[in-house]
Amino acid sequence: MRNNKTVRNGILIVVSGASGTGKSTVCSRVRELMPELGFSVSCTTRQPRPGEQEGREYYFVSRDEFAARIERGDFIEYAEVFSNCYGTLKSEVLEKIQNGKDVFLDIDIQGALQIQAAAEKDELLKACTEFIFIVPPSLQELEQRLRGRASDSEAQVMQRLEKARHEISFWKKYDYVIENDDLDQAVTDMVNLIRSLHLAVKRMPEDKYDA
Ligand code: 5GP
């Protein structure tokens, strides 16, 4: 049936996960498989890594510039992660959503919680935002994975595990949880989930199937 009369809004897909759960790998594989997803390029004060390009992975800015952007109200959310600031720009998200494009946000938990709070006061965000959380199959499995990184000391492994335990405790704040036991399965689960999100009646134009 192709009688949709009004353009639907896009979906803002917010993905976070506990440290060490392979979130970045899952997210980049999903983006490869779903090139139609818009990606929001964040601002960060961290230095570019080799191979990263200004405006592709991030907009790399100084701390002063970041502070000025906070002052101007440029961000939907921002947070300090590993001693660097990261922020999602309104300009990267709102217009795309209003034009029916889905936007994929890979951000930390503090940022996701800020978007949830913003959505409480903003009808557009409320209707368009879905929160996905990536978890390891178990803490035991995560510990094994962390120990597999030969570069980390025992103290670092314990520190990372504690951090992950704390992060996992936020899982109920999210709408969906994806367990990354097997990478291919986790990627398939996320692709299927995102496709299913389009089937939600609440997001369809009100006159979509009206005669
Ligand atoms: P990285 O420096 O490795 O690219 O990212 C470090 C962490 O910052 C990741 O967990 C990533 O999800 C998070 N991050 C990236 N961009 C943003 C953003 O705009 N806002 C928030 N809150 N976190 C972000």
Side-chain angles (χ1 to χ4, degrees):
M1 234 169 135
R2 293 191 179 276
N3 64 344
N4 47 320
K5 298 161 183 171
T6 326
V7 177
R8 69 162 181 87
N9 286 324
I11 307 170
L12 180 58
I13 302 152
V14 181
V15 183
S16 324
S19 321
T21 48
K23 177 184 68 155
S24 314
T25 317
V26 175
C27 289
S28 55
R29 290 268 299 271
V30 168
R31 288 183 50 214
E32 272 166 34
L33 290 170
M34 303 186 85
E36 69 276 20
L37 286 181
F39 177 66
S40 162
V41 181
S42 292
C43 265
T44 182
T45 59
R46 84 151 162 74
Q47 294 297 310
R49 298 188 184 123
E52 288 184 335
Q53 265 177 34
E54 166 66 18
R56 191 179 64 186
E57 282 78 14
Y58 287 103
Y59 299 111
F60 297 97
V61 299
S62 67
R63 284 214 165 236
D64 284 349
E65 171 68 19
F66 199 92
R69 283 176 177 252
I70 293 175
E71 231 4 70
R72 284 207 300 264
D74 287 358
F75 295 120
I76 298 183
E77 63 73 34
Y78 59 91
E80 189 155 329
V81 186
F82 304 125
S83 315
N84 287 302
C85 299
Y86 294 81
T88 306
L89 292 161
K90 289 179 184 163
S91 57
E92 289 281 314
V93 173
L94 299 180
E95 205 175 312
K96 287 180 192 152
I97 298 289
Q98 278 161 333
N99 288 328
K101 190 155 179 71
D102 298 336
V103 178
F104 190 85
L105 277 190
D106 164 1
I107 61 174
D108 88 309
I109 297 166
Q110 308 163 68
L113 296 181
Q114 285 177 48
I115 295 187
Q116 287 181 4
E120 285 305 312
K121 297 183 220 124
D122 183 307
E123 286 305 316
L124 174 70
L125 279 183
K126 196 175 193 159
C128 299
T129 315
E130 298 285 354
F131 295 89
I132 306 176
F133 196 58
I134 304 182
V135 293
S138 67
L139 278 172
Q140 289 81 349
E141 173 69 30
L142 182 64
E143 186 170 353
Q144 272 175 18
R145 285 186 200 170
L146 292 174
R147 287 193 194 287
R149 294 183 189 173
S151 57
D152 289 353
S153 67
E154 175 64 21
Q156 274 170 326
V157 169
M158 293 321 285
Q159 208 179 5
R160 283 180 202 274
L161 203 58
E162 203 34 62
K163 185 163 182 272
R165 193 195 302 273
H166 174 68
E167 289 168 336
I168 292 168
S169 73
F170 287 91
W171 71 277
K172 286 187 184 155
K173 300 266 181 202
Y174 286 74
D175 300 312
Y176 304 93
V177 171
I178 289 185
E179 222 175 80
N180 186 11
D181 181 9
D182 172 77
L183 176 65
D184 287 340
Q185 186 60 51
V187 170
T188 305
D189 285 350
M190 196 180 304
V191 168
N192 288 341
L193 169 58
I194 294 173
R195 297 217 165 109
S196 310
L197 292 175
H198 286 125
L199 309 180
V201 171
K202 70 171 182 183
R203 217 172 278 111
M204 288 178 188
E206 271 187 29
D207 56 355
K208 171 113 173 147
Y209 294 111
D210 289 353

